[in-house]
Amino acid sequence: MRRLIALLLTIALALPALAQDRPRAGLMWNRSGLPATLPLVVQTLPGRDYALFLSPDIGGDPVMAGYIHGGTFFRLLVPPGTWTIRFAHGTDWQGEDALFGPDTEWTQVAEPMTFGASVARKHGYIIRLIETEGKVRVASSGALDLCQGLTITTEVIELDDELRDDRNRLPTPGLRRLEIDVDTRTRVCG
């Protein structure tokens, strides 16, 4: 009986470890050396997970990777530049080297995508992946522009008389301090 209980406890303790092998959705790594500030949104179908890779459009190794749980909207901030975007997908994650094992399939966005920003606008993309005839493909990709507005509010605050210098005997108007509050708002450009 003790052996059976020990065996059941061993199995019960091993199950959470197996469930943790699937990475958390989000950024896996960023080796670009650039700040990731521009939006990339990906819509996927349930039933498989995805590893997203950004590579320079001129070729070379990926500079950024993210992990997507299938069936969810995924948002990743990427660095400015022109990137080739590829997706590895499958059902049984086996680590960054093996990805989804021998059953790993690949899908790529047809054209490189250019991410950029100006003073009041961030330019990113939305990608929608679908499955047709058992193959995952890019159904659509479109621009996602975010506009940023800046609001500045000021307030003049009268300071108490006790803060004045006693050596100044000339009549002076009340001392004031200007408080400035800056607020940025981001919205999808229309």
Side-chain angles (χ1 to χ4, degrees):
M1 183 67 166
R2 285 185 179 172
R3 288 184 185 174
L4 179 60
I5 292 173
L7 178 62
L8 291 175
L9 280 174
T10 303
I11 292 171
L13 292 174
L15 287 177
L18 290 175
Q20 292 174 2
D21 288 344
R22 180 183 184 206
R24 188 180 61 158
L27 177 68
M28 292 169 51
W29 42 263
N30 179 0
R31 299 179 183 138
S32 70
L34 299 169
T37 58
L38 304 167
L40 172 61
V41 177
V42 181
Q43 179 187 6
T44 60
L45 294 172
R48 63 181 74 209
D49 285 353
Y50 302 81
L52 174 149
F53 297 95
L54 262 73
S55 300
D57 69 324
I58 56 174
D61 294 332
V63 297
M64 179 178 259
Y67 193 86
I68 305 169
H69 293 171
T72 62
F73 273 95
F74 175 76
R75 182 172 185 244
L76 182 69
L77 296 176
V78 301
T82 302
W83 307 107
T84 298
I85 300 176
R86 298 181 67 201
F87 299 90
H89 48 90
T91 57
D92 184 27
W93 180 252
Q94 297 180 14
E96 284 190 46
D97 294 330
L99 300 174
F100 298 97
D103 296 329
T104 300
E105 296 177 37
W106 289 89
T107 301
Q108 180 171 327
V109 177
E111 297 292 323
M113 297 181 149
T114 300
F115 294 81
S118 64
V119 173
R121 186 178 287 236
K122 291 182 178 181
H123 181 70
Y125 291 92
I126 297 175
I127 299 172
R128 190 169 63 94
L129 300 177
I130 62 168
E131 187 172 343
T132 55
E133 300 175 7
K135 297 280 186 188
V136 172
R137 66 180 184 84
V138 176
S140 63
S141 59
L144 172 62
D145 288 340
L146 300 179
C147 291
Q148 301 179 112
L150 185 65
T151 304
I152 299 174
T153 55
T154 60
E155 182 180 358
V156 176
I157 298 177
E158 297 284 334
L159 297 177
D160 294 334
D161 287 336
E162 59 197 48
L163 295 176
R164 294 185 191 182
D165 189 349
D166 286 336
R167 291 174 280 164
N168 183 2
R169 302 212 172 144
L170 297 173
T172 58
L175 295 176
R176 297 180 183 103
R177 179 179 74 222
L178 181 63
E179 286 195 0
I180 301 173
D181 184 34
V182 179
D183 185 31
T184 58
R185 306 250 183 213
T186 303
R187 63 178 172 76
V188 176
C189 299

